[in-house]
Amino acid sequence: MDFKKLREDFPVLNKNIIYFDSAASSLKPTQVLHKIRLYYEELPVNVHRGIHKLSMKASVIYEEAHEKVADFIGSNKKEVIFTANSTDSINQVMYMLYNSDYFQEGDEILTTVQEHHVDIVPWQFISKKLNLKLKFVKLNNDFSLDVNDFKEKLSNKTKLVAIAHVSNTLGTIMPIKEITKLAHEVNSLVLIDGSQSIPHMKFNFKEVDCDFLAFTAHKMLGPTGIGCLIGKEELLNKFSPVRFGGDMISNVTFEKSEWNTLPYKFEAGTPNISGVFGLGAAIDYLNKVGLENIEKHDKQLLKYCYNKIKDIKNLEIINCKDLDNQAPIILFRMKGILPVELSGLLDDISEIATRAGMHCAQPIVSSFDKNGLVRASFYFYNTFEEIDVFAETLQKISESLYKWFLKFYLNKRFLISFYTININIFYVIENDFKSFLIQNS
Ligand SMILES: Cc1ncc(COP(=O)(O)O)c(C=O)c1O
């Protein structure tokens, strides 16, 4: 696979930027943009509602996208519900369970300590409302799941195991098949958050055998505002919808309503049609590149980057304890500089986009550093040359840090700044340091 050639499909890459923030949102290829444009230019109508040709054509493409997703993740079309994003998918599962009599007081939900907020907050909410207990499974020293702790915490009281397949901070790949099997032995449901795995690796819903799967299009080359909830057919038949209105019904009288067939029972109102068009095109694109190729390239980039930056002075890599069991994410910090400043400097000096802060996973990230951390995340359109620039820039920042402090100290500017209010100190430090780096880089 010629990954360099594929870069031509991503217009934003012509602008000489280095995009290492794909875990936040991937770039979008022209094929996806064209499909969205096709909707607005040629078929800008509603689906499932008109018998005119435009609506019929739009409905066919919309339905094809349900099928494409089903084939892509090994489920059937009835099990594929279009949502707004992973957050929406997970919240819908939470409300399905909340509105049913599935949970009894004292039941337990298991998740892990390394989760994104969306794999914590909905479960805190329902636990408080229904008097459930939310338990967090620990990690081993290499950040893999502590399966023994999982087994200890799992019991007949466990009614839901909800975890991310791949951590958006540490990048750890969780043993979801093993987890699902163990959870099913105690009759617990399993919800997998595939936000960080579906764009990067092959996933088969039937083989994993989880009950629900959530993912989001914008991390897998698709547009924002569209995501998927995959649920086992028997469960989607059993639980009530959580949104009510047009399209999700088959019959309505003044007294009562009957639900539509799957998956429409869970797709109330006019859907994000252009988003679904774009997602369909994104899946075509991913199939063309091949997830095996993507996974292989991801690994090569990760290992190359780790080896390039691991010995840089002042730099500390937090994750990367087991590169073979990790998604292409590097989480790091540098002594003497705040993560937001480091991320800002990477952007200012070499146009490298990274993310800094808590990464919507405050419990785990703040356990490493209360100021947050910097994350570099790769996708198949990234190159080894980009990583070289990244490593050189980090090296430069690290060396300059030392020189800058020396210069600053000798100029006695620290003493002057010391008596000014905090905000001034930050202003002087930040601007002085940035200009020093830019001049010396
Ligand atoms: C593991 C994980 N889950 C869920 C989400 C939320 O995705 P969205 O904001 O598209 O709902 C993210 C996004 O960063 C994520 O990394």
Side-chain angles (χ1 to χ4, degrees):
M1 180 57 57
D2 186 351
F3 285 104
K4 280 208 172 133
K5 181 100 184 93
L6 294 181
R7 285 170 63 84
E8 292 167 14
D9 293 332
F10 295 83
V12 78
L13 290 176
N14 293 333
K15 298 195 173 120
N16 236 356
I17 60 143
I18 295 179
Y19 190 71
F20 284 174
D21 198 17
S22 292
S25 205
S26 74
L27 302 179
K28 332 294 177 202
T30 44
Q31 289 82 342
V32 168
L33 308 181
H34 287 156
K35 208 63 188 268
I36 296 169
R37 205 182 167 112
L38 171 92
Y39 171 70
Y40 284 111
E41 276 187 358
E42 296 181 31
L43 304 164
V45 297
N46 218 323
V47 289
H48 302 157
R49 284 152 174 85
I51 54 149
H52 53 81
K53 284 192 207 64
L54 288 182
S55 179
M56 297 292 241
K57 274 190 190 161
S59 301
V60 166
I61 298 176
Y62 184 85
E63 288 317 318
E64 275 173 4
H66 269 123
E67 274 154 24
K68 276 179 192 174
V69 173
D71 290 346
F72 187 66
I73 48 97
S75 68
N76 76 58
K77 188 189 153 182
K78 290 183 188 165
E79 297 175 319
V80 175
I81 298 162
F82 288 131
T83 62
N85 45 40
S86 291
T87 304
D88 187 31
S89 303
I90 292 167
N91 276 275
Q92 288 205 43
V93 174
M94 190 273 283
Y95 277 110
M96 274 183 218
L97 303 177
Y98 183 46
N99 295 336
S100 72
D101 56 3
Y102 178 71
F103 285 116
Q104 305 299 312
E105 197 172 323
D107 283 347
E108 295 179 356
I109 298 174
L110 276 195
T111 187
T112 78
V113 295
Q114 53 119 44
E115 300 298 333
H116 186 281
H117 295 158
V118 76
D119 299 308
I120 300 174
V121 184
W123 311 121
Q124 287 175 334
F125 173 82
I126 196 171
S127 298
K128 206 162 166 209
K129 288 280 183 188
L130 301 180
N131 263 327
L132 312 175
K133 195 160 183 194
L134 179 57
K135 288 184 167 174
F136 295 90
V137 179
K138 289 187 283 192
L139 304 179
N140 294 313
N141 290 339
D142 64 358
F143 303 134
S144 59
L145 187 77
D146 183 340
V147 178
N148 288 332
D149 191 47
F150 178 78
K151 286 180 185 164
E152 260 170 46
K153 290 189 167 122
L154 189 75
S155 75
N156 289 332
K157 285 188 180 171
T158 312
K159 288 289 175 300
L160 177 70
V161 173
I163 65 162
H165 185 185
V166 168
S167 154
N168 65 314
T169 52
L170 298 166
T172 316
I173 302 169
M174 291 290 151
I176 49 168
K177 272 195 199 165
E178 187 182 356
I179 288 171
T180 303
K181 194 162 173 284
L182 290 167
H184 283 168
E185 281 168 15
V186 298
N187 292 322
S188 168
L189 289 176
V190 176
L191 162 62
I192 302 293
D193 174 355
S195 305
Q196 297 290 348
S197 59
I198 301 299
H200 291 272
M201 55 194 74
K202 259 197 166 314
F203 188 105
N204 189 292
F205 184 68
K206 280 208 176 61
E207 269 175 27
V208 173
D209 196 33
C210 58
D211 300 288
F212 297 103
L213 167 71
F215 55 96
T216 197
H218 70 94
K219 293 186 201 287
M220 51 189 284
L221 313 181
T224 53
I226 181 76
C228 293
L229 169 61
I230 316 297
K232 278 186 180 163
E233 198 177 331
E234 69 265 25
L235 293 171
L236 295 178
N237 278 323
K238 178 173 143 190
F239 290 112
S240 296
V242 296
R243 300 219 171 101
F244 305 91
D247 224 25
M248 50 74 66
I249 40 71
S250 61
N251 190 36
V252 179
T253 65
F254 285 120
E255 287 74 36
K256 65 178 178 63
S257 303
E258 285 159 27
W259 311 142
N260 205 342
T261 53
L262 291 175
Y264 314 109
K265 170 182 166 186
F266 290 95
E267 291 184 1
T270 300
N272 178 354
I273 307 169
S274 66
V276 170
F277 276 40
L279 172 59
I283 288 178
D284 288 342
Y285 195 97
L286 288 171
N287 283 332
K288 190 184 79 182
V289 181
L291 282 164
E292 294 90 350
N293 291 329
I294 293 175
E295 209 176 337
K296 210 165 133 201
H297 191 62
D298 279 351
K299 279 265 136 53
Q300 287 169 347
L301 291 170
L302 177 68
K303 288 184 179 174
Y304 186 77
C305 188
Y306 175 72
N307 286 320
K308 273 261 157 183
I309 68 170
K310 71 179 183 351
D311 296 323
I312 293 177
K313 218 169 151 220
N314 299 317
L315 186 89
E316 185 192 355
I317 298 175
I318 303 292
N319 63 340
C320 295
K321 308 280 185 212
D322 177 6
L323 295 176
D324 288 320
N325 187 39
Q326 198 193 297
I329 288 174
I330 300 196
L331 198 61
F332 60 97
R333 64 181 162 190
M334 194 178 271
K335 244 187 243 152
I337 180 166
L338 287 172
V340 280
E341 291 170 337
L342 181 56
S343 182
L345 283 169
L346 286 164
D347 193 35
D348 285 349
I349 298 168
S350 301
E351 304 271 345
I352 300 170
T354 56
R355 182 172 170 191
M358 292 295 167
H359 308 278
C360 295
Q362 191 177 348
I364 187 77
V365 175
S366 63
S367 74
F368 297 116
D369 195 322
K370 65 178 177 17
N371 293 314
L373 293 164
V374 185
R375 179 183 72 185
S377 52
F378 315 121
Y379 210 4
F380 61 85
Y381 38 67
N382 291 127
T383 64
F384 300 103
E385 290 80 2
E386 287 179 324
I387 290 174
D388 290 342
V389 176
F390 177 57
E392 280 157 24
T393 313
L394 283 172
Q395 179 74 41
K396 222 177 266 174
I397 296 172
S398 167
E399 284 165 9
S400 308
L401 262 177
Y402 175 71
K403 283 193 231 154
W404 178 77
F405 276 122
L406 204 64
K407 177 182 159 228
F408 204 61
Y409 181 74
L410 291 177
N411 284 349
K412 295 194 173 55
R413 290 173 67 180
F414 180 72
L415 286 176
I416 298 162
S417 303
F418 192 70
Y419 292 107
T420 62
I421 55 169
N422 276 352
I423 196 81
N424 276 350
I425 295 177
F426 284 126
Y427 184 79
V428 170
I429 288 176
E430 190 178 333
N431 285 294
D432 210 61
F433 186 35
K434 271 190 188 170
S435 53
F436 176 82
L437 273 168
I438 290 166
Q439 279 160 24
N440 289 275
S441 62

